[in-house]
DNA sequence: GAGTTTGAAACT
DNA sequence: CAGTTTCAAACTC
């Protein structure tokens, strides 16, 4: 560490004056903004900024000479710090005019990385976290520099040409208060490397992200200007600047054992293995149970070569790059492809590519992929609700017609139950016919299935199966005494009737699902054999 | 949250 | 320019 900067650089001269000017303008600017009714983000100017406060304290400790300024100098910078702007080279707007519209830096921080040392403004942090949760971070990351005073390229803020704003850094000099100091250092660095403050990636990371979303294909044109130099990370960790920027390594890179190239299986596996959102996880779990039920070993399923068929191969048309982008995958996409969110290692980037239809341990694909769609679940739930309501209605009517012969009533009810599948078909289009058929409970089918797993048994509420069996077989219910539920009256009876119908339908649904899965499995196996 | 690993930047 | 050190972020436990 040469630390040319370590000895506090002399020229801090007109710093206070500048800061004061800045303050004046700041106040005016804010006022004018408010007057004009422009929406003024409360995050822009915070009454107190912990960092600025701490910085002031640190400065007071380390540079007592600067404290000659009157007491008011303590608070002005606090406000000024909120309006720090990046240098003109980065932001066309006059640096001191408004809050810097910082170029999107390479995202780095984990949301949880928040040293206790300093607390960023709650507002800004909240905003930042929110944005990160959405997977579309818009605010620049905050650095945590401790020793560099944020005046070295180690500091992300500094290297991106922006002032630190709401960062967690210590003894920060990358602010308007130390502008001259900062400028000197920048000059030195520029002298050494004129490109030092230019974006490392040709296009902005924002654009990069967008390009990721759009079909998941990376725009290979975007390159790291300097290229990475990774040795151990395989360029598949965020240590790698290329990976971090969601771009592929290029000829500019000098990395070893690079796996961040188009067609890299490791890269894809990494991408697909990324934890999904909860809904997808649930879907995967459900599929796992269902697959277990139909006796499939999802692993080892041969993959289809139907490259264009996204229903079959998740991301088949993509060359997904980063796990960090997974959150942007539409849940339905994952759902449609079944459990393949964690999966498909099929590479289909083109005939020239090193396309490999490889099965990895993470290469699991549900045979239900493409069959069970979110809307199916929705529709089925609606159906269950309808069935339940119908049951309740029936029981109410039954009560009213108390004169009716009990046995006759029950027969009618059973008839009604049996009619329901055809009478209340699932709404909407059912291209694959799953919904309609799913609503038809067929016990025979179920009996023909292979043994089910404990998980599936649980899912199917097997302990209630005795009741179902009795209900499902019309002959067994013609006698009113065989159905204990039917002997009940009042709300209990209604509830049990509702439950019975709902569970019956649900069982039918699962049975159909199992059948569909079996069929699909066979299809996939056959296709896989062909491909091999 | 502390400690380790990593790779860029800085330095020699 | 290559090797080493420093640094901050990413990562692991």
């Amino acid at each position: 560490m040469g630390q040319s900067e370590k000895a506090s650089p002399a020229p801090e001269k007109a710093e206070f004056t500048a800061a004061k000017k800045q303050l004046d303008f700041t106040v005016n600017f804010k006022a004018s903004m408010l007057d004009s009714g422009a929406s003024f983000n409360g995050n822009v100017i915070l009454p107190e900024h912990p960092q600025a406060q701490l910085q002031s304290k640190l400065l007071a400790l380390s540079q007592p000479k600067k404290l000659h300024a009157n007491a008011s100098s303590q608070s002005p910078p606090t406000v000024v710090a909120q309006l720090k702007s990046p240098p003109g080279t980065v932001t066309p707007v006059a640096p001191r005019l408004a809050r810097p519209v910082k170029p999107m830096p390479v995202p780095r921080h984990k949301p949880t990385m928040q040293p206790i040392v300093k607390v960023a403004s709650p507002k800004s942090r909240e905003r930042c976290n929110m944005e990160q949760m959405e997977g579309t971070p818009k605010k620049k990351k905050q650095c945590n520099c401790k020793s560099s005073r944020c005046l070295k390229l180690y500091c992300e803020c500094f290297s991106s040409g922006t002032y630190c704003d709401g960062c967690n850094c210590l003894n920060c000099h990358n602010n308007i208060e130390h502008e001259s100091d900062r400028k000197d250092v920048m000059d030195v660095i520029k002298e050494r490397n004129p490109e030092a403050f230019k974006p490392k990636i040709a296009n902005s990371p924002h654009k990069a992200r967008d390009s990721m979303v759009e079909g998941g294909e990376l725009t290979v044109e975007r390159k790291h200007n300097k290229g990475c130099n990774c040795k151990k990370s395989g360029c598949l960790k965020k240590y790698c600047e290329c990976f971090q920027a969601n771009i592929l390594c290029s000829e500019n890179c000098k990395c070893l054992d690079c796996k961040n190239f188009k067609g890299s299986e490791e890269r894809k596996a990494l991408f697909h293995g990324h934890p999904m959102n909860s809904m997808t996880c649930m879907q995967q779990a459900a599929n796992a149970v269902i697959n277990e039920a139909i006796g499939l070993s999802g692993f080892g399923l041969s993959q289809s070569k139907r490259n264009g068929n996204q229903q079959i191969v998740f991301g088949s048309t993509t060359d997904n790059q980063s796990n960090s982008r997974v959150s942007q995958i539409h849940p339905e996409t994952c759902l449609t492809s079944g459990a393949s969110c964690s999966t498909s290692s099929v590479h289909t980037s083109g005939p020239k590519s090193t396309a490999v239809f490889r099965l990895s341990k993470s290469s699991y694909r549900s045979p239900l992929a493409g069959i069970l769609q979110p809307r199916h679940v929705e529709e089925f739930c609606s159906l269950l609700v309808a069935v339940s309501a119908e049951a309740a209605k029936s029981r109410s009517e039954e009560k009213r017609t108390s004169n009716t012969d009990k046995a006759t009533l029950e027969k009618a009810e059973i008839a009604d139950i049996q009619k329901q599948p055809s009478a209340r078909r699932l709404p909407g289009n059912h291209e694959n016919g799953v919904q309609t058929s799913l609503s038809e409970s067929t016990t025979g089918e179920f009996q023909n299935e292979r043994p089910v797993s404990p998980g599936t048994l649980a899912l199917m509420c097997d302990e209630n199966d005795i009741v179902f069996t009795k209900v499902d077989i019309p002959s067994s219910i013609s006698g009113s005494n065989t159905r204990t539920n039917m002997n009940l009256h009042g709300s209990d009876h209604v509830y049990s009737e509702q439950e019975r119908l709902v569970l019956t339908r649900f069982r039918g649904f699962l049975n159909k699902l199992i059948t569909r899965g079996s069929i699909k499995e066979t299809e996939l196996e056959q296709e896989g054999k062909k491909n091999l």
Side-chain angles (χ1 to χ4, degrees), chain A residues 338-396:
Chain A
S340 59
C341 282
S342 63
T343 65
S344 168
S345 66
V346 179
H347 179 54
T348 59
S349 61
K352 282 186 296 180
S353 74
T354 56
V356 181
F357 294 92
R358 173 153 57 118
L359 298 169
S360 67
K361 282 190 179 177
S362 64
S363 177
Y364 166 79
R365 190 164 190 293
S366 168
L368 291 172
I371 292 179
L372 185 59
Q373 313 249 351
R375 71 168 190 282
H376 298 155
V377 178
E378 260 178 51
E379 289 166 359
F380 182 67
C381 288
S382 303
L383 174 71
L384 292 183
V385 170
V387 167
S388 174
E390 182 71 22
K393 194 180 159 192
S394 308
R395 295 311 306 177
S396 307

Side-chain angles (χ1 to χ4, degrees), chain A residues 11 14 47 139 181 215 224 282 285 310 315 328 335 418-419 461 510 516 527:
Chain A
K139 187 175 186 285
D181 186 3
H224 193 292
M282 285 168 63
Q310 301 206 351
Q328 294 186 6
L335 203 52
Q418 289 172 336
K419 262 189 282 171
C461 309
L510 292 177
R516 293 276 164 178
E527 280 186 47

Side-chain angles (χ1 to χ4, degrees), chain A residues 276-493:
Chain A
M276 293 285 131
N277 58 41
S278 56
M279 174 144 181
T280 310
C281 288
M282 285 168 63
Q283 179 66 30
Q284 288 180 331
N287 280 339
V289 171
I290 293 166
N291 281 317
E292 216 185 0
I294 58 180
L296 289 178
S297 68
F299 295 93
L301 265 183
S302 299
Q303 298 293 331
S304 164
K305 261 188 183 171
R306 287 140 66 182
N307 300 350
N309 189 349
Q310 301 206 351
Q311 207 181 27
I312 299 301
V313 180
F314 172 67
S316 63
T317 61
T318 70
D319 194 8
N320 298 315
Q321 162 97 355
S322 159
N323 53 4
S324 66
R325 306 309 321 147
V326 172
S327 60
Q328 294 186 6
I329 292 166
H330 196 289
E332 187 162 346
T333 311
C334 293
L335 203 52
T336 302
S337 61
S340 59
C341 282
S342 63
T343 65
S344 168
S345 66
V346 179
H347 179 54
T348 59
S349 61
K352 282 186 296 180
S353 74
T354 56
V356 181
F357 294 92
R358 173 153 57 118
L359 298 169
S360 67
K361 282 190 179 177
S362 64
S363 177
Y364 166 79
R365 190 164 190 293
S366 168
L368 291 172
I371 292 179
L372 185 59
Q373 313 249 351
R375 71 168 190 282
H376 298 155
V377 178
E378 260 178 51
E379 289 166 359
F380 182 67
C381 288
S382 303
L383 174 71
L384 292 183
V385 170
V387 167
S388 174
E390 182 71 22
K393 194 180 159 192
S394 308
R395 295 311 306 177
S396 307
E397 283 172 1
E398 182 188 357
K399 269 191 199 172
R400 266 186 261 125
T401 58
S402 55
N403 291 335
T404 312
D405 177 29
K406 225 177 193 175
T408 311
L409 177 66
E410 286 181 4
K411 276 183 185 175
E413 195 174 34
I414 299 308
D416 180 50
I417 294 165
Q418 289 172 336
K419 262 189 282 171
Q420 279 170 2
S422 55
R424 267 184 297 278
R425 298 211 178 256
L426 293 167
N429 295 330
H430 314 299
E431 304 87 6
N432 53 17
V434 173
Q435 297 90 337
T436 51
S437 54
L438 285 175
S439 65
E440 296 165 4
S441 172
T442 50
T443 49
E445 216 176 76
F446 176 64
Q447 285 157 358
N448 291 336
E449 292 297 333
R450 62 193 93 179
V452 294
S453 71
T456 309
L457 288 174
L459 188 62
M460 298 177 76
C461 309
D462 208 40
E463 61 271 24
N464 295 330
D465 224 29
I466 299 164
V467 178
F468 294 153
T469 310
K470 287 176 183 172
V471 172
D472 286 344
I473 304 168
S475 61
S476 69
I477 34 174
S478 57
S480 59
N481 288 339
T482 58
R483 292 175 62 218
T484 47
N485 280 352
M486 282 305 207
N487 292 333
L488 300 172
H489 287 282
S491 59
D492 283 353
H493 195 163

Side-chain angles (χ1 to χ4, degrees), chain A residues 43 99 104 109-114 120-142 165-166 168:
Chain A
N43 293 328
R99 184 167 185 266
M104 176 67 186
H109 290 241
K110 282 191 285 187
T112 51
M113 288 276 283
Q114 303 290 1
S121 104
K123 278 190 180 180
S124 69
R125 177 160 299 174
E126 184 185 350
R127 182 186 53 195
C128 184
N129 290 343
M130 261 182 65
E131 286 161 355
Q132 284 167 348
M133 276 168 60
E134 292 166 1
T136 52
K138 292 171 182 96
K139 187 175 186 285
K140 91 169 189 66
K141 294 287 186 175
Q142 298 154 342
D165 179 15
N168 306 302

Side-chain angles (χ1 to χ4, degrees), chain A residues 3 69 97 106 185 204 221 225 232 261 264-265 271 277 292 325 351 365 404 414 421 446 450 455 504:
Chain A
Q3 327 317 3
L97 242 182
V106 178
V185 175
S204 78
E221 308 84 50
N225 288 333
K232 300 181 180 177
F261 58 90
S264 161
E265 292 299 323
F271 171 72
N277 58 41
E292 216 185 0
R325 306 309 321 147
R365 190 164 190 293
T404 312
I414 299 308
F446 176 64
R450 62 193 93 179
T504 303

